[in-house]
């Protein structure tokens, strides 16, 4: 559950405060999204640009959150 939610409409930024365990759950969910997107791309060859962009966005988000989680260790 989100402990704190801050919204800065002027800069289009949302800040969430979550526990380390919740962050791990979010990362696991993103890993599942990456797996599903990869499977969808492989099943629908040739893949479309939108599908590849979605996969790239998921991978980037997963990497950013993984780095944040490592800082907690």
């Amino acid at each position: 559950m989100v402990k704190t939610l801050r919204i800065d409409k002027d800069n289009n930024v949302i800040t969430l405060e979550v526990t380390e365990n919740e962050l791990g759950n979010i990362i696991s969910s993103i890993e599942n999204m990456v797996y599903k997107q990869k499977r969808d791309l492989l099943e629908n060859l040739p893949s479309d640009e939108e599908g590849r962009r979605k996969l790239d966005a998921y991978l980037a988000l997963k990497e950013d959150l993984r780095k944040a989680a490592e800082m907690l260790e």
Side-chain angles (χ1 to χ4, degrees):
M1 176 178 289
V2 175
K3 290 183 176 188
T4 304
L5 171 66
R6 291 187 194 101
I7 299 173
D8 181 352
K9 289 184 181 181
D10 295 333
N11 295 313
N12 291 326
V13 174
I14 297 174
T15 304
L16 303 171
E17 184 178 326
V18 296
T19 65
E20 184 177 359
N21 187 44
E22 291 166 332
L23 181 58
N25 290 339
I26 293 169
I27 292 169
S28 293
S29 294
I30 294 170
E31 287 174 348
N32 290 334
M33 292 163 49
V34 166
Y35 174 77
K36 183 182 182 303
Q37 187 63 33
K38 283 181 179 179
R39 190 179 65 215
D40 288 348
L41 288 173
L42 288 173
E43 290 174 354
N44 298 304
L45 290 175
S47 59
D48 62 349
E49 186 64 31
E50 181 182 342
R52 288 190 299 269
R53 275 184 283 173
K54 188 183 285 189
L55 177 59
D56 289 343
Y58 291 158
L59 289 169
L61 179 58
K62 179 181 129 184
E63 182 63 21
D64 288 345
L65 293 176
R66 185 190 61 74
K67 287 178 184 175
E70 283 180 354
M71 288 182 198
L72 295 174
E73 295 175 354

